[in-house]
Amino acid sequence: MSAVSNGDLVRAAKKVAKFRRATDDVTFGHVGAAILTDKGHVYTGVSIDAWCGLGFCAEPSAIANMLTNGEHGIRKIVAVNGRNGKILPPCGRCREFLYQVTGDKEVGVILDKCREAKLGDLLPEQWQKKSFKRRH
Ligand SMILES: [Zn+2]
């Protein structure tokens, strides 16, 4: 078992969830995310928002950090709103991305202080490559 508790993971996400401005057109850190890997390491990431509409959630940012460090197995993930410190369930795109990266419906998703769900419960019908048939 890991020595990293849900509280530790939430604190790691809160630590990076600080609104900051990179340029006139880009802000980041509205939301922070933290991942506990199956090797027991914690990786964090922040949301990024560009004025033109581009950007992404904190979860893929943390996933990119994890992949950059050579890991891909996620035990748990949490995202926190930097403005009020509340835990945020992942959006639909992030649920799908979590599944595509890990292929694991047992990934734990912290939903609030007292609740946690398995990714498979939040994403019962994930996209599947096999549902596409090659035509040529
Ligand atoms: Zn998202």
Side-chain angles (χ1 to χ4, degrees), residues 105-126:
K105 290 189 161 196
E106 296 300 309
V107 169
V109 180
I110 299 173
L111 298 173
D112 62 35
K113 272 186 172 179
C114 307
R115 289 189 313 137
E116 184 178 326
K118 296 293 182 195
L119 179 59
D121 294 329
L122 301 176
L123 186 71
E125 298 291 335
Q126 79 284 356

Side-chain angles (χ1 to χ4, degrees), residues 28-40:
F28 61 100
H30 290 94
V31 177
I35 288 171
L36 174 63
T37 68
D38 56 7
K39 293 180 179 173

Side-chain angles (χ1 to χ4, degrees), residues 57-60 90-95:
C57 298
E59 293 93 332
C91 74
R93 182 180 187 277
C94 287
R95 293 174 195 198

Side-chain angles (χ1 to χ4, degrees), residues 1-79:
M1 291 300 288
S2 169
V4 178
S5 69
N6 283 6
D8 293 335
L9 211 54
V10 170
R11 279 186 287 281
K14 280 185 179 175
K15 191 173 178 182
V16 297
K18 294 178 175 28
F19 178 83
R20 288 162 279 176
R21 180 170 295 283
T23 67
D24 282 348
D25 297 332
V26 176
T27 59
F28 61 100
H30 290 94
V31 177
I35 288 171
L36 174 63
T37 68
D38 56 7
K39 293 180 179 173
H41 298 126
V42 174
Y43 295 102
T44 57
V46 295
S47 59
I48 302 174
D49 297 290
W51 182 251
C52 66
L54 293 174
F56 46 82
C57 298
E59 293 93 332
S61 180
I63 289 168
N65 189 5
M66 173 188 72
L67 294 173
T68 300
N69 284 281
E71 293 191 59
H72 62 272
I74 298 175
R75 193 178 299 162
K76 282 186 187 179
I77 188 165
V78 68

